[in-house]
Amino acid sequence: MDETFVKLRRQVREFVDDEVIPAEPVLDRGDATATARLGELRAEAKRRGLWALGHPTEIGGGGLSFLQTAHLNEIIGRSFYGQKALGTWSMQDSLMLHEQGTPEQRQRWLAPLVAGEIRSSVGLTEPEVAGSDPTLIASTAVLDGDEWVVNAHKWFTTGANIAAFTTVFAVTEPEAAPHRRVSAIIVPTDTPGYEVVRSVPTLGTEHSIMGDHCEIRLTDVRVPAANLLGARGDGFVIGQKRLGPGRIFHAMRWLGQMERAFDLMVARANERFAHGSKLIDKGEIRRHIAESAADIFYHRAAVIAAAQAVDSGSRARVEIGLVKVRGAHLLHDVIDRAIQVHGALGVTADTPLDAMYRRARYARIYDGPDEVHRDTVARLLGRDPNRVPWAVD
């Protein structure tokens, strides 16, 4: 890392540790007070020049490389609210709009999204079909004159209850090949026929100011034909381009969670006295510390390698799949050991480990379950063993 970036990274660390983490008890309330406090944090991040650093400069961001963004996400991930406070929450959607949107779409939706003035959401998963198989999407959009008529039933539409729009993935080409049937259409959430059916409580994220995981229903919703994102039938490709980099963002934020759990574990081991000595003097506790350090070290190296592959122009499907699967398990294991060292305190809400642990279990499912990623990696390597990340040119 060059000196300028090292300084920036230090500034982000200070902001997260000194401002965001101390605000967590207020932010956890999920009420008007929490929303106001989050607004103060966001304003302070902008004042310090720390806002939306990973976005391209042409859309109002800091213009950092993918690898640099990954390094920052490691720090931002120390707090569940870091993404919101520093303007990185909607990066996947911002990049999708930047790459696929028309000039009119970018002006209306992208600029305020990057500025943090509005929130986005994406409607992919449906309760009636397997979310891991996008070829099964049953939602439909039919072109009627100069309008799309959208009928859809989605869930886990994150943030739909506070979003200005949802990018809905629906079948527009029913006779096409399985991966060419779906298109992406921007639907403002205030459009007649758009309904948030309920907020679905999920592990560690119940009723959060980050936005709930929502079940939504669109009944004969009409939007302009110009709301098509990308080309007709490109929905699968657009969705995969959105999900791929996002999985590395998740994996690096998981690293931040691991590091925070590690810090809490070591602090507890040094202060807690039991059975004649402090915990740090006991072999089993030292084993927990050493194993967690190894897990963090290896996960960090893997994420950096995957980010470098993306920066080189690769889709990095193998690297991303491996990082997503193994990282989610390591995240769980590190937090689990930290809870064990804390004893009974670790299973209470008196430490952040309680919510961190519940969110860690969720990581093995969102953005693709373990089973799908393992199968994809094995299929790709089975066809071409030279795609392994350690291949020599």
mmCIF file with all atom_site columns, all heavy atoms in Angstrom, residues 15-31:
data_model
loop_
_atom_site.group_PDB
_atom_site.id
_atom_site.type_symbol
_atom_site.label_atom_id
_atom_site.label_alt_id
_atom_site.label_comp_id
_atom_site.label_asym_id
_atom_site.label_entity_id
_atom_site.label_seq_id
_atom_site.pdbx_PDB_ins_code
_atom_site.Cartn_x
_atom_site.Cartn_y
_atom_site.Cartn_z
_atom_site.occupancy
_atom_site.B_iso_or_equiv
_atom_site.pdbx_formal_charge
_atom_site.auth_seq_id
_atom_site.auth_comp_id
_atom_site.auth_asym_id
_atom_site.auth_atom_id
_atom_site.pdbx_PDB_model_num
ATOM 1   N N   . PHE A 1 15 ? -12.456 6.469  12.324 1.00 0.00 ? 15 PHE A N   1
ATOM 2   C CA  . PHE A 1 15 ? -13.868 6.832  12.251 1.00 0.00 ? 15 PHE A CA  1
ATOM 3   C C   . PHE A 1 15 ? -14.756 5.675  12.705 1.00 0.00 ? 15 PHE A C   1
ATOM 4   O O   . PHE A 1 15 ? -15.700 5.876  13.482 1.00 0.00 ? 15 PHE A O   1
ATOM 5   C CB  . PHE A 1 15 ? -14.228 7.244  10.818 1.00 0.00 ? 15 PHE A CB  1
ATOM 6   C CG  . PHE A 1 15 ? -15.661 7.649  10.656 1.00 0.00 ? 15 PHE A CG  1
ATOM 7   C CD1 . PHE A 1 15 ? -16.119 8.860  11.147 1.00 0.00 ? 15 PHE A CD1 1
ATOM 8   C CD2 . PHE A 1 15 ? -16.569 6.815  10.015 1.00 0.00 ? 15 PHE A CD2 1
ATOM 9   C CE1 . PHE A 1 15 ? -17.446 9.247  11.008 1.00 0.00 ? 15 PHE A CE1 1
ATOM 10  C CE2 . PHE A 1 15 ? -17.899 7.183  9.866  1.00 0.00 ? 15 PHE A CE2 1
ATOM 11  C CZ  . PHE A 1 15 ? -18.344 8.400  10.357 1.00 0.00 ? 15 PHE A CZ  1
ATOM 12  N N   . VAL A 1 16 ? -14.445 4.462  12.249 1.00 0.00 ? 16 VAL A N   1
ATOM 13  C CA  . VAL A 1 16 ? -15.257 3.308  12.621 1.00 0.00 ? 16 VAL A CA  1
ATOM 14  C C   . VAL A 1 16 ? -15.137 3.016  14.114 1.00 0.00 ? 16 VAL A C   1
ATOM 15  O O   . VAL A 1 16 ? -16.143 2.809  14.811 1.00 0.00 ? 16 VAL A O   1
ATOM 16  C CB  . VAL A 1 16 ? -14.850 2.072  11.793 1.00 0.00 ? 16 VAL A CB  1
ATOM 17  C CG1 . VAL A 1 16 ? -15.534 0.807  12.329 1.00 0.00 ? 16 VAL A CG1 1
ATOM 18  C CG2 . VAL A 1 16 ? -15.212 2.273  10.326 1.00 0.00 ? 16 VAL A CG2 1
ATOM 19  N N   . ASP A 1 17 ? -13.905 3.005  14.628 1.00 0.00 ? 17 ASP A N   1
ATOM 20  C CA  . ASP A 1 17 ? -13.687 2.647  16.032 1.00 0.00 ? 17 ASP A CA  1
ATOM 21  C C   . ASP A 1 17 ? -14.111 3.742  17.005 1.00 0.00 ? 17 ASP A C   1
ATOM 22  O O   . ASP A 1 17 ? -14.616 3.448  18.095 1.00 0.00 ? 17 ASP A O   1
ATOM 23  C CB  . ASP A 1 17 ? -12.218 2.307  16.269 1.00 0.00 ? 17 ASP A CB  1
ATOM 24  C CG  . ASP A 1 17 ? -11.837 0.936  15.739 1.00 0.00 ? 17 ASP A CG  1
ATOM 25  O OD1 . ASP A 1 17 ? -12.728 0.248  15.183 1.00 0.00 ? 17 ASP A OD1 1
ATOM 26  O OD2 . ASP A 1 17 ? -10.662 0.548  15.846 1.00 0.00 ? 17 ASP A OD2 1
ATOM 27  N N   . ASP A 1 18 ? -13.926 5.004  16.615 1.00 0.00 ? 18 ASP A N   1
ATOM 28  C CA  . ASP A 1 18 ? -14.186 6.105  17.547 1.00 0.00 ? 18 ASP A CA  1
ATOM 29  C C   . ASP A 1 18 ? -15.585 6.692  17.414 1.00 0.00 ? 18 ASP A C   1
ATOM 30  O O   . ASP A 1 18 ? -16.086 7.319  18.360 1.00 0.00 ? 18 ASP A O   1
ATOM 31  C CB  . ASP A 1 18 ? -13.166 7.237  17.342 1.00 0.00 ? 18 ASP A CB  1
ATOM 32  C CG  . ASP A 1 18 ? -11.734 6.793  17.621 1.00 0.00 ? 18 ASP A CG  1
ATOM 33  O OD1 . ASP A 1 18 ? -11.562 5.736  18.255 1.00 0.00 ? 18 ASP A OD1 1
ATOM 34  O OD2 . ASP A 1 18 ? -10.812 7.499  17.179 1.00 0.00 ? 18 ASP A OD2 1
ATOM 35  N N   . GLU A 1 19 ? -16.220 6.514  16.259 1.00 0.00 ? 19 GLU A N   1
ATOM 36  C CA  . GLU A 1 19 ? -17.522 7.126  16.031 1.00 0.00 ? 19 GLU A CA  1
ATOM 37  C C   . GLU A 1 19 ? -18.637 6.092  15.830 1.00 0.00 ? 19 GLU A C   1
ATOM 38  O O   . GLU A 1 19 ? -19.673 6.152  16.484 1.00 0.00 ? 19 GLU A O   1
ATOM 39  C CB  . GLU A 1 19 ? -17.463 8.052  14.804 1.00 0.00 ? 19 GLU A CB  1
ATOM 40  C CG  . GLU A 1 19 ? -16.421 9.148  14.876 1.00 0.00 ? 19 GLU A CG  1
ATOM 41  C CD  . GLU A 1 19 ? -16.723 10.189 15.935 1.00 0.00 ? 19 GLU A CD  1
ATOM 42  O OE1 . GLU A 1 19 ? -17.899 10.308 16.328 1.00 0.00 ? 19 GLU A OE1 1
ATOM 43  O OE2 . GLU A 1 19 ? -15.778 10.895 16.362 1.00 0.00 ? 19 GLU A OE2 1
ATOM 44  N N   . VAL A 1 20 ? -18.420 5.146  14.932 1.00 0.00 ? 20 VAL A N   1
ATOM 45  C CA  . VAL A 1 20 ? -19.500 4.218  14.580 1.00 0.00 ? 20 VAL A CA  1
ATOM 46  C C   . VAL A 1 20 ? -19.740 3.187  15.674 1.00 0.00 ? 20 VAL A C   1
ATOM 47  O O   . VAL A 1 20 ? -20.880 2.990  16.129 1.00 0.00 ? 20 VAL A O   1
ATOM 48  C CB  . VAL A 1 20 ? -19.203 3.518  13.238 1.00 0.00 ? 20 VAL A CB  1
ATOM 49  C CG1 . VAL A 1 20 ? -20.358 2.576  12.875 1.00 0.00 ? 20 VAL A CG1 1
ATOM 50  C CG2 . VAL A 1 20 ? -18.994 4.535  12.122 1.00 0.00 ? 20 VAL A CG2 1
ATOM 51  N N   . ILE A 1 21 ? -18.693 2.508  16.118 1.00 0.00 ? 21 ILE A N   1
ATOM 52  C CA  . ILE A 1 21 ? -18.869 1.458  17.131 1.00 0.00 ? 21 ILE A CA  1
ATOM 53  C C   . ILE A 1 21 ? -19.464 2.010  18.430 1.00 0.00 ? 21 ILE A C   1
ATOM 54  O O   . ILE A 1 21 ? -20.392 1.404  18.992 1.00 0.00 ? 21 ILE A O   1
ATOM 55  C CB  . ILE A 1 21 ? -17.542 0.714  17.370 1.00 0.00 ? 21 ILE A CB  1
ATOM 56  C CG1 . ILE A 1 21 ? -17.230 -0.167 16.143 1.00 0.00 ? 21 ILE A CG1 1
ATOM 57  C CG2 . ILE A 1 21 ? -17.601 -0.136 18.636 1.00 0.00 ? 21 ILE A CG2 1
ATOM 58  C CD1 . ILE A 1 21 ? -15.909 -0.903 16.220 1.00 0.00 ? 21 ILE A CD1 1
ATOM 59  N N   . PRO A 1 22 ? -18.999 3.148  18.942 1.00 0.00 ? 22 PRO A N   1
ATOM 60  C CA  . PRO A 1 22 ? -19.645 3.686  20.155 1.00 0.00 ? 22 PRO A CA  1
ATOM 61  C C   . PRO A 1 22 ? -21.112 4.039  19.953 1.00 0.00 ? 22 PRO A C   1
ATOM 62  O O   . PRO A 1 22 ? -21.881 4.090  20.929 1.00 0.00 ? 22 PRO A O   1
ATOM 63  C CB  . PRO A 1 22 ? -18.820 4.938  20.453 1.00 0.00 ? 22 PRO A CB  1
ATOM 64  C CG  . PRO A 1 22 ? -17.481 4.678  19.851 1.00 0.00 ? 22 PRO A CG  1
ATOM 65  C CD  . PRO A 1 22 ? -17.777 3.919  18.598 1.00 0.00 ? 22 PRO A CD  1
ATOM 66  N N   . ALA A 1 23 ? -21.522 4.284  18.707 1.00 0.00 ? 23 ALA A N   1
ATOM 67  C CA  . ALA A 1 23 ? -22.919 4.641  18.436 1.00 0.00 ? 23 ALA A CA  1
ATOM 68  C C   . ALA A 1 23 ? -23.820 3.422  18.290 1.00 0.00 ? 23 ALA A C   1
ATOM 69  O O   . ALA A 1 23 ? -25.048 3.574  18.185 1.00 0.00 ? 23 ALA A O   1
ATOM 70  C CB  . ALA A 1 23 ? -23.005 5.488  17.167 1.00 0.00 ? 23 ALA A CB  1
ATOM 71  N N   . GLU A 1 24 ? -23.253 2.224  18.300 1.00 0.00 ? 24 GLU A N   1
ATOM 72  C CA  . GLU A 1 24 ? -24.046 1.018  18.048 1.00 0.00 ? 24 GLU A CA  1
ATOM 73  C C   . GLU A 1 24 ? -25.226 0.830  19.001 1.00 0.00 ? 24 GLU A C   1
ATOM 74  O O   . GLU A 1 24 ? -26.314 0.432  18.548 1.00 0.00 ? 24 GLU A O   1
ATOM 75  C CB  . GLU A 1 24 ? -23.141 -0.215 18.080 1.00 0.00 ? 24 GLU A CB  1
ATOM 76  C CG  . GLU A 1 24 ? -22.261 -0.338 16.857 1.00 0.00 ? 24 GLU A CG  1
ATOM 77  C CD  . GLU A 1 24 ? -21.313 -1.521 16.915 1.00 0.00 ? 24 GLU A CD  1
ATOM 78  O OE1 . GLU A 1 24 ? -21.131 -2.085 18.021 1.00 0.00 ? 24 GLU A OE1 1
ATOM 79  O OE2 . GLU A 1 24 ? -20.749 -1.876 15.866 1.00 0.00 ? 24 GLU A OE2 1
ATOM 80  N N   . PRO A 1 25 ? -25.086 1.076  20.299 1.00 0.00 ? 25 PRO A N   1
ATOM 81  C CA  . PRO A 1 25 ? -26.252 0.909  21.173 1.00 0.00 ? 25 PRO A CA  1
ATOM 82  C C   . PRO A 1 25 ? -27.445 1.765  20.758 1.00 0.00 ? 25 PRO A C   1
ATOM 83  O O   . PRO A 1 25 ? -28.597 1.340  20.889 1.00 0.00 ? 25 PRO A O   1
ATOM 84  C CB  . PRO A 1 25 ? -25.715 1.326  22.546 1.00 0.00 ? 25 PRO A CB  1
ATOM 85  C CG  . PRO A 1 25 ? -24.252 1.044  22.486 1.00 0.00 ? 25 PRO A CG  1
ATOM 86  C CD  . PRO A 1 25 ? -23.860 1.384  21.075 1.00 0.00 ? 25 PRO A CD  1
ATOM 87  N N   . VAL A 1 26 ? -27.185 2.958  20.253 1.00 0.00 ? 26 VAL A N   1
ATOM 88  C CA  . VAL A 1 26 ? -28.267 3.818  19.768 1.00 0.00 ? 26 VAL A CA  1
ATOM 89  C C   . VAL A 1 26 ? -28.792 3.298  18.433 1.00 0.00 ? 26 VAL A C   1
ATOM 90  O O   . VAL A 1 26 ? -30.005 3.192  18.220 1.00 0.00 ? 26 VAL A O   1
ATOM 91  C CB  . VAL A 1 26 ? -27.782 5.277  19.620 1.00 0.00 ? 26 VAL A CB  1
ATOM 92  C CG1 . VAL A 1 26 ? -28.876 6.139  18.994 1.00 0.00 ? 26 VAL A CG1 1
ATOM 93  C CG2 . VAL A 1 26 ? -27.380 5.841  20.977 1.00 0.00 ? 26 VAL A CG2 1
ATOM 94  N N   . LEU A 1 27 ? -27.887 2.943  17.533 1.00 0.00 ? 27 LEU A N   1
ATOM 95  C CA  . LEU A 1 27 ? -28.289 2.465  16.209 1.00 0.00 ? 27 LEU A CA  1
ATOM 96  C C   . LEU A 1 27 ? -29.083 1.169  16.291 1.00 0.00 ? 27 LEU A C   1
ATOM 97  O O   . LEU A 1 27 ? -29.972 0.915  15.466 1.00 0.00 ? 27 LEU A O   1
ATOM 98  C CB  . LEU A 1 27 ? -27.050 2.268  15.331 1.00 0.00 ? 27 LEU A CB  1
ATOM 99  C CG  . LEU A 1 27 ? -26.193 3.518  15.087 1.00 0.00 ? 27 LEU A CG  1
ATOM 100 C CD1 . LEU A 1 27 ? -24.943 3.161  14.296 1.00 0.00 ? 27 LEU A CD1 1
ATOM 101 C CD2 . LEU A 1 27 ? -26.993 4.586  14.356 1.00 0.00 ? 27 LEU A CD2 1
ATOM 102 N N   . ASP A 1 28 ? -28.787 0.349  17.296 1.00 0.00 ? 28 ASP A N   1
ATOM 103 C CA  . ASP A 1 28 ? -29.496 -0.925 17.459 1.00 0.00 ? 28 ASP A CA  1
ATOM 104 C C   . ASP A 1 28 ? -30.983 -0.746 17.756 1.00 0.00 ? 28 ASP A C   1
ATOM 105 O O   . ASP A 1 28 ? -31.774 -1.670 17.574 1.00 0.00 ? 28 ASP A O   1
ATOM 106 C CB  . ASP A 1 28 ? -28.871 -1.748 18.598 1.00 0.00 ? 28 ASP A CB  1
ATOM 107 C CG  . ASP A 1 28 ? -27.566 -2.414 18.194 1.00 0.00 ? 28 ASP A CG  1
ATOM 108 O OD1 . ASP A 1 28 ? -27.323 -2.561 16.977 1.00 0.00 ? 28 ASP A OD1 1
ATOM 109 O OD2 . ASP A 1 28 ? -26.784 -2.780 19.096 1.00 0.00 ? 28 ASP A OD2 1
ATOM 110 N N   . ARG A 1 29 ? -31.367 0.438  18.209 1.00 0.00 ? 29 ARG A N   1
ATOM 111 C CA  . ARG A 1 29 ? -32.780 0.649  18.557 1.00 0.00 ? 29 ARG A CA  1
ATOM 112 C C   . ARG A 1 29 ? -33.676 0.608  17.328 1.00 0.00 ? 29 ARG A C   1
ATOM 113 O O   . ARG A 1 29 ? -34.857 0.240  17.422 1.00 0.00 ? 29 ARG A O   1
ATOM 114 C CB  . ARG A 1 29 ? -32.947 2.005  19.248 1.00 0.00 ? 29 ARG A CB  1
ATOM 115 C CG  . ARG A 1 29 ? -32.197 2.156  20.559 1.00 0.00 ? 29 ARG A CG  1
ATOM 116 C CD  . ARG A 1 29 ? -32.353 3.586  21.087 1.00 0.00 ? 29 ARG A CD  1
ATOM 117 N NE  . ARG A 1 29 ? -31.489 3.856  22.224 1.00 0.00 ? 29 ARG A NE  1
ATOM 118 C CZ  . ARG A 1 29 ? -31.323 5.064  22.760 1.00 0.00 ? 29 ARG A CZ  1
ATOM 119 N NH1 . ARG A 1 29 ? -31.996 6.097  22.259 1.00 0.00 ? 29 ARG A NH1 1
ATOM 120 N NH2 . ARG A 1 29 ? -30.508 5.240  23.776 1.00 0.00 ? 29 ARG A NH2 1
ATOM 121 N N   . GLY A 1 30 ? -33.130 1.006  16.187 1.00 0.00 ? 30 GLY A N   1
ATOM 122 C CA  . GLY A 1 30 ? -33.911 0.981  14.956 1.00 0.00 ? 30 GLY A CA  1
ATOM 123 C C   . GLY A 1 30 ? -35.051 1.978  14.920 1.00 0.00 ? 30 GLY A C   1
ATOM 124 O O   . GLY A 1 30 ? -35.985 1.821  14.122 1.00 0.00 ? 30 GLY A O   1
ATOM 125 N N   . ASP A 1 31 ? -34.998 3.014  15.760 1.00 0.00 ? 31 ASP A N   1
ATOM 126 C CA  . ASP A 1 31 ? -36.090 3.978  15.836 1.00 0.00 ? 31 ASP A CA  1
ATOM 127 C C   . ASP A 1 31 ? -35.655 5.328  15.263 1.00 0.00 ? 31 ASP A C   1
ATOM 128 O O   . ASP A 1 31 ? -34.611 5.444  14.598 1.00 0.00 ? 31 ASP A O   1
ATOM 129 C CB  . ASP A 1 31 ? -36.565 4.130  17.283 1.00 0.00 ? 31 ASP A CB  1
ATOM 130 C CG  . ASP A 1 31 ? -35.440 4.545  18.228 1.00 0.00 ? 31 ASP A CG  1
ATOM 131 O OD1 . ASP A 1 31 ? -34.351 4.915  17.749 1.00 0.00 ? 31 ASP A OD1 1
ATOM 132 O OD2 . ASP A 1 31 ? -35.659 4.508  19.461 1.00 0.00 ? 31 ASP A OD2 1
#
